[in-house]
Amino acid sequence: MMQELQVMIWEMRWMIVLCVVLIVVDLIFGIENAKVHKEKIRRSRAIRRTVNKFIDYMCWILFAGVFAKAFAQPLSMDAMTVTATVMLIACISEVDSIWQNYSEAHNKERFSIMRFIIRFVKKKNHDVGEALEETIENDTDR
């Protein structure tokens, strides 16, 4: 089982690199946004939040891989496609955060990718869109 886990992590190495890049870019734009708004930048808080995000993403990656192995393979689905789909959903929220920091720092119009996706889903299926919106709102309240 450990060998299979190592192979799975090796296959997802580029997803891990992508997550690291997204986290670093979010950190950079977050610091830039704080400087523009003349907020005090506390290095310990920035490091803690960055490390927490890295741990969260590693949990998401492991969850996605194990989920795909547990459910996709028995259903004759490609495990990497399922893993990539789960990771895409997780990465969209990070890109949304990056864009928010960038747009606030550069006085650009704010645009939420998540809100765009919710509106798109609502047009296709109102009930699914409502459920997605409620889930995201409950998650951001924490």
Side-chain angles (χ1 to χ4, degrees):
M1 193 168 176
M2 286 303 288
Q3 186 177 15
E4 198 171 352
L5 184 62
Q6 287 174 330
V7 169
M8 180 183 72
I9 290 172
W10 177 253
E11 290 174 351
M12 296 186 302
R13 67 192 177 279
W14 291 109
M15 290 180 208
I16 294 169
V17 170
L18 175 63
C19 289
V20 169
V21 168
L22 289 174
I23 291 167
V24 169
V25 170
D26 190 40
L27 174 66
I28 291 167
F29 283 132
I31 290 171
E32 184 179 346
N33 186 26
K35 285 179 180 178
V36 166
H37 289 93
K38 299 188 184 343
E39 297 172 5
K40 183 178 180 184
I41 300 168
R42 295 189 322 223
R43 187 173 296 170
S44 63
R45 183 173 184 231
I47 292 170
R48 186 181 70 243
R49 290 184 71 183
T50 301
V51 169
N52 283 342
K53 277 188 177 191
F54 179 76
I55 291 169
D56 287 346
Y57 275 100
M58 291 306 103
C59 288
W60 272 109
I61 288 170
L62 288 175
F63 166 76
V66 171
F67 179 82
K69 292 283 186 186
F71 293 105
Q73 278 186 336
L75 297 173
S76 300
M77 296 169 63
D78 181 44
M80 282 308 291
T81 302
V82 173
T83 303
T85 303
V86 171
M87 287 310 301
L88 178 64
I89 294 167
C91 288
I92 285 173
S93 67
E94 190 66 22
V95 170
D96 211 27
S97 174
I98 291 168
W99 181 252
Q100 179 181 353
N101 282 327
Y102 176 82
S103 62
E104 286 180 16
H106 296 275
N107 292 326
K108 303 278 184 187
E109 183 179 340
R110 291 181 69 181
F111 174 78
S112 172
I113 298 168
M114 293 303 283
R115 292 283 157 223
F116 175 78
I117 291 170
I118 290 170
R119 277 187 257 137
F120 178 78
V121 170
K122 270 186 173 179
K123 283 184 179 180
K124 298 294 181 187
N125 187 323
H126 185 73
D127 293 335
V128 173
E130 288 288 326
L132 181 62
E133 184 174 38
E134 185 177 313
T135 301
I136 290 171
E137 286 175 3
N138 288 341
D139 190 43
T140 56
D141 289 343
R142 292 183 195 170

